[in-house]
Amino acid sequence: MKRTRIKQLLEEQTTGKNVRVCGWVRTFRNNQFIALNDGSCIKTLQCVLDFENFPEGTLKRITTGAAIEVKGEIVPSQGRGQSIELKVTELQILGDSDPEKYPLQPKRHSLEFLREIAHLRFRTNTFGAVFRIRHAAAFAIHEFFHNRGFVYIHSPIITGSDAEGAGEMFQVTTLDLNDVPRKETGEVDFKQDFFEKATNLTVSGQLEAELGALALSDVYTFGPTFRAENSNTSRHLAEFWMIEPEIAFADIDDDMDLAEDMLKYIIGSVMEHCQEDLEFLENRLIQEEKQKPQHERSAMALREKLQFCLDNEYKRLTYSEAIEILMKSKPNKKKKFQFVIEQWGADLQSEHERYLVEKHFNKPVILTGYPKEIKAFYMRLNDDNKTVAAMDILFPGIGEIVGGSQREERLDVLQARMKEFDIPEEEMSWFLETRRFGTCPHAGFGLGFERMIMFVTGMSNIRDVIPFPRFPGNADF
Ligand code: 4AD
Ligand code: MG
C-alpha cells in the first residue's frame, strides 16, 4: 500500500478508506492516542489504537520522536480537536527514540537551544512552518520570474572578482597553507594555485547576470552568496541566498516597479499557500511578544502586517529627502541614535532605516539617489555628478531587504568610476567589453532571501530562517 501524506488526509476528510501513514510520534497518551506528524503540514493525525491488540513491548516503544508506520481505517473522530482519525490495525516501529535522551520533549524550547540542535529542530512546529514557508517563497520567486519570461542564470560560486568591491571575501585555494609558494617579491604565487589565480566565493552574481541581460534581456540568479563580514547581528549571515534579477532596456523606475511587484507576489503567494503555518507563527509571535513591554510589541499581527504590505504602495523618496527627515527627527536631535546624522553624505545605519519605515512613514520605503561615495562602482552616475541611481528597499522590522541600481552603461564614465575605486581594468576586461559592444541602459537588484523569510515568518533572528546558519565562529553541521 502506498503511503498517504497526513496533509492530504486532513484536506480530503474522507472517511471509510484504508491507508498507510508514516511519521514521527509527537505524543502518546493513555496508551491509546498517538499524535503523528510527517512534516507535510503543521497538524498531526490522531491515530487511535486498542492497546489490548498490541504487545506491551510495542506500546512501550511508541515514544516522542520515534518513527512509526501505521495502517488502518480513517474514521470520524469521537473526540474534540479533530474531525477524523485513524483507527490503527497494524503498527510498526521504524526507528526508536529513547525518551530519556531525546532532546525534543513535547514542551516549549527556546530558539537558542534549538539552534544548538539544528539537526533536530526541523521536527518542531516552529521550524517545520518556517521551512515550508521558505520553500513556498522560493517556488513563488521562480514562478514570478518564469511568468514574466525571465531566464534563470546560474552564476558561478567560485570567482576571481569582488562584485561589490567591499573586500569581504572568503578565499578559495588548494595551496598548502603550511607551505605557501611565494614569488621573489614575497607575495603569494597564485600561479601555482588550482585556478592559476587568486579566487574567492562569490559575494554576488550581479556582474555575470549583467552579461546575461545584455543578450537575453531579462534574467535572474538565485543562489548562495558569501560574505566574510564580521557582523554578529540578527540580520547578517556569512552564507546567504540572494535573488538578483537584471533587466535590459530599463531604468531605475522600472527596477523599483519590478522589485515592488516581486515582493508583493512573494507575500501574496505565501499568504495563499501557507495559511496554517502563518497562523501558527502569528500566535507564536504574540506569545513571544507578551514578554516584551507594550511599546516594543508589534502594532500588527503577522498576517495583518503581510496584508498591509500587499495593499499599500511603497513610499518612494530620495536619499536627500530622507536625510532632511532624519536630521529633523527627535532621536537625532536628542542624540538618541547611536550614529547621529550630521550632514548630507552620511551612510544610513539600520537604526535610521527603521526610523523611516517604522516611525515616520509606517510602511515600506524605497530610497533612491544615494551619494556616489557610499555605493558600489557599477551604479549609474546621475547628472548632478554627486549621486548614483541606486535604490534600497526598507521593510518594517528588517531594514534593508533589497539593494539595487541602474547600472553605469557608459564606457568612459564606468572607466572613470573604476579608477576612483582603484579597480584595475585588466581584472574587469570582460565586464567592460559589454559596454564596448552594444551597451544599453539596464538595471537590477538583489533580494536577501533570508531577510524576506524573516519578514514573512515574523522570526526575529536570521539564524532561524536558514537550516544551518553560518556566522563568525560557527560552521556546525
Ligand atoms: O545590497 P547588496 O550588497 O547588493 C548586492 O549585492 C548587489 N550586487 C545586488 C544587485 O544589484 N544585483 O545585497 C543585496 C541584499 C541586501 O539588501 C540584503 O537583503 C541581503 O542582500 N544581504 C544579506 N543578507 C544576509 N546576510 C548578509 N550578510 C547580507 N548582505 C546583504
Ligand atoms: Mg546594500
Side-chain angles (χ1 to χ4, degrees), residues 264 347 357 418:
K264 287 179 170 167
D347 203 353
V357 175
M418 285 170 62

Side-chain angles (χ1 to χ4, degrees), residues 1-6 8-9 12 17-23 38 45 68-74 86 90 94:
M1 204 192 304
K2 274 216 157 150
R3 174 173 83 94
T4 310
R5 287 162 168 258
I6 291 173
Q8 191 191 330
L9 291 173
E12 286 175 356
K17 68 173 184 177
N18 275 295
V19 294
R20 179 177 147 241
V21 179
C22 300
D38 68 358
L45 177 68
I68 63 169
E69 175 192 89
V70 286
K71 287 183 190 160
E73 192 189 340
I74 297 291
L86 192 148
E90 281 177 55
L94 302 175

Side-chain angles (χ1 to χ4, degrees), residues 164 204 206 227 229 237 242 244 400-401 403 407 445-446 448:
E164 291 303 301
S204 156
Q206 177 197 319
R227 298 202 184 168
E229 50 192 334
L237 288 168
M242 188 150 57
E244 296 184 274
E400 180 192 336
I401 196 162
R407 316 307 189 189
F445 63 82

Side-chain angles (χ1 to χ4, degrees), residues 375 392 400 403:
K375 287 289 181 188
D392 275 7
E400 180 192 336

Side-chain angles (χ1 to χ4, degrees), residues 401-414:
I401 196 162
V402 162
S405 71
Q406 188 172 334
R407 316 307 189 189
E408 186 51 78
E409 86 284 13
R410 299 160 296 186
L411 180 64
D412 52 337
V413 185
L414 184 57

